Amino acid sequence: GLSPEVERNSSMGVFKDEQEESPTLLPYGDYRDESFFSTLFTWRGSVWPEIWKLVLAAVLFSVFVCFLDAVIPTNPVSNSQADIDAAKLIVNGGIRTSLAFYSLLGLALGFLLVFRSNLSYGRYWDGRGFVGSLVKAARNFGRQVIYDIEDGPESGRLRHDVIRLVNVMFGITMLHVRRETDLSRCPRLQFLLKPEEKALLTSKVYCARTAPDTYDYNTLTSTAGSFHKTVPFPRRPLMVVSMMNALVREAYDKKLVSETLRKRLERTLSDFVEAFNGLDKIRGTAVPLPYVQLVNLLLFIYVFTVPFSLIKHFAWFTPIPSGIIAAAFFGINAVSEEIQDPFGFDVNDLPLEKFEDSIAQDSGMSLHLFDPKAFPNPNMFVVPVDDPQYSVESIRSRLPIEEPSEPAQSNEHSSLLGGSRV
């Protein structure tokens, strides 16, 4: 994972030049520009940090097997008896075992590892596809709102509010897929959210049960499980979609949006929901435990017992093929584990902060190009670090609308979601 400083810089939108100068940031995808040997001996981003201890343990254990084989005498057998032993897959003298057994086990284990790799690879690219769909929906929705809303007294505020919520939508979705509940983990949200919106997004609901619902088939009665704690609403991106929908409805009520445009905007909002559902599916659906458990068990058995079959052919050189086998099998398994959840802070996870920054840059520039006088700052949603003019207080003072001085009361939450307006 990334250090806290790197996470802060990435989340707050450090400019590209600043990122390149930082030695701690991880160059996502830069390996494509490296030579064959540079890629071959790269440590960061490879599987070696995850598997080197396991490979070392396998090599040391194979050394122990070599000493054990030197101590325990090997019983000589005839050629015919050796053929019988190999066929029965039993010990054919001393501690040496038949290679045929490990050939069959390795074939089955290889199939399981490849299947798991394909499953993890599919999850990775599905995640990338849904993130791309979310970015596409954000850009389309912002373009339609900026250029298609009719001019009027409220049009500037509505344009800014909608584009602001588009940026909030991606930030809150990024926290959701990373299982983060604290809004401060995405610094951009600290100045994008109004106090009443922040209060709504941090409101809590009952979700955990002390007991599940039960049904007695003998008495034909049911007993509802009881709730025992409150947690933040688990699908907050849907609340942001509802806020954007409420703004679209407000623009329609004020005759700033036609019926045709309203329907088109609502279809784009459906694209937001569809992309979120795909991301939530990957986030909430883990690889089945029995499958992972079986792969790990067979992998452990195979790697740490194969030296008993290799000792007959390689003698004191057995640690070499044992280490290669361990690196291959443990490496494939480590790759599967790393990419099956593509939304974290690992080197090879999707660079969600870069997508967040691109939406902030594109949406701010679109507003600036549409009306440079009303929106003079194209970086209104971008937050470079260590720049006083881009502090939270400074950005708040340059927003086109004024923020309320006190948090809204609970009855104002309904207006954010399209209810009665005060």
Side-chain angles (χ1 to χ4, degrees):
L2 299 179
S3 64
E5 181 64 20
V6 174
E7 295 175 21
R8 186 178 74 90
N9 291 347
S10 300
S11 298
M12 296 187 68
V14 183
F15 288 151
K16 182 178 180 181
D17 293 340
E18 296 180 50
Q19 290 182 350
E20 291 176 349
E21 293 174 0
S22 174
T24 58
L25 286 173
L26 303 175
Y28 177 87
D30 286 354
Y31 73 92
R32 292 172 296 180
D33 300 327
E34 300 293 335
S35 65
F36 172 80
F37 288 102
S38 297
T39 305
L40 191 63
F41 295 104
T42 297
W43 179 264
R44 172 174 287 182
S46 68
V47 297
W48 293 112
E50 301 295 330
I51 68 171
W52 72 269
K53 293 181 181 179
L54 293 171
V55 174
L56 180 60
V59 171
L60 294 178
F61 183 76
S62 64
V63 173
F64 171 75
V65 171
C66 292
F67 280 104
L68 198 62
D69 180 73
V71 174
I72 300 177
T74 301
N75 298 325
V77 295
S78 63
N79 292 333
S80 59
Q81 185 62 37
D83 293 339
I84 295 175
D85 290 340
K88 293 181 178 180
L89 305 180
I90 62 174
V91 176
N92 59 15
I95 64 170
R96 301 179 180 184
T97 58
S98 171
L99 190 60
F101 169 75
Y102 290 95
S103 298
L104 296 177
L105 181 59
L107 183 63
L109 182 58
F111 174 80
L112 291 175
L113 287 174
V114 170
F115 182 81
R116 185 186 179 186
S117 297
N118 288 335
L119 182 63
S120 300
Y121 197 67
R123 287 169 59 91
Y124 183 89
W125 283 109
D126 283 346
R128 176 60 181 89
F130 289 124
V131 170
S133 298
L134 191 65
V135 173
K136 177 182 176 182
R139 288 170 174 164
N140 286 337
F141 191 73
R143 173 180 51 80
Q144 293 167 355
V145 167
I146 292 173
Y147 288 95
D148 294 342
I149 286 183
E150 299 292 339
D151 291 331
E154 298 289 328
S155 59
R157 178 186 65 82
L158 286 172
R159 285 189 179 97
H160 178 271
D161 269 356
V162 171
I163 302 304
R164 177 177 58 82
L165 288 179
V166 166
N167 285 271
V168 170
M169 174 64 184
F170 195 92
I172 207 76
T173 302
M174 182 174 67
L175 294 182
H176 177 81
V177 296
R178 288 177 172 173
R179 299 174 178 85
E180 299 280 358
T181 58
D182 187 1
L183 295 181
S184 64
R185 296 288 291 175
C186 181
R188 183 174 279 117
L189 295 179
Q190 302 309 304
F191 75 90
L192 288 179
L193 288 172
K194 299 178 181 179
E196 65 268 22
E197 293 169 346
K198 185 178 296 185
L200 180 62
L201 290 173
T202 55
S203 59
K204 296 187 176 183
V205 296
Y206 289 101
C207 80
R209 294 176 180 266
T210 57
D213 294 341
T214 57
Y215 187 80
D216 190 342
Y217 288 94
N218 295 324
T219 60
L220 300 181
T221 58
S222 61
T223 302
S226 57
F227 298 100
H228 76 282
K229 71 175 183 178
T230 59
V231 296
F233 186 73
R235 288 166 294 279
R236 292 180 294 183
L238 298 181
M239 301 172 71
V240 180
V241 172
S242 297
M243 294 177 190
M244 290 191 289
N245 208 341
L247 289 176
V248 171
R249 184 55 187 262
E250 180 184 351
Y252 176 74
D253 292 341
K254 294 180 178 180
K255 309 301 181 181
L256 298 176
V257 170
S258 64
E259 178 68 19
T260 302
L261 177 58
R262 183 182 69 85
K263 292 181 178 180
R264 190 162 72 245
L265 290 174
E266 289 183 351
R267 284 196 297 268
T268 308
L269 287 175
S270 298
D271 294 338
F272 277 106
V273 176
E274 184 177 355
F276 167 75
N277 287 341
L279 294 170
D280 189 55
K281 178 188 71 174
I282 297 175
R283 169 191 179 273
T285 306
V287 178
L289 174 62
Y291 187 85
V292 176
Q293 186 182 52
L294 179 62
V295 170
N296 290 341
L297 177 62
L298 293 180
L299 184 60
F300 180 84
I301 294 175
Y302 183 85
V303 170
F304 286 95
T305 60
V306 72
F308 293 103
S309 66
L310 298 177
I311 188 69
K312 179 172 58 177
H313 303 280
F314 295 94
W316 287 97
F317 293 99
T318 299
I320 297 177
S322 296
I324 294 175
I325 292 174
F329 281 93
F330 283 133
I332 295 174
N333 192 52
V335 170
S336 303
E337 291 179 352
E338 180 164 344
I339 66 175
Q340 69 182 6
D341 185 8
F343 305 125
F345 294 100
D346 293 331
V347 181
N348 296 296
D349 286 336
L350 296 175
L352 298 182
E353 286 83 5
K354 288 188 177 182
F355 293 111
E356 183 192 21
D357 292 342
S358 68
I359 292 177
Q361 294 162 2
D362 297 343
S363 58
M365 182 59 69
S366 296
L367 281 173
H368 174 71
L369 293 176
F370 175 78
D371 192 345
K373 293 183 178 180
F375 307 102
N377 177 24
N379 294 320
M380 65 184 75
F381 303 121
V382 181
V383 191
V385 296
D386 302 328
D387 192 339
Q389 68 169 326
Y390 287 103
S391 64
V392 172
E393 293 76 12
S394 177
I395 292 175
R396 280 186 183 275
S397 66
R398 288 181 279 119
L399 291 177
I401 59 173
E402 293 185 359
E403 305 251 0
S405 57
E406 296 181 358
Q409 301 298 322
S410 59
N411 61 350
E412 296 183 49
H413 289 175
S414 59
S415 65
L416 295 175
L417 301 179
S420 61
R421 299 179 179 85
V422 180

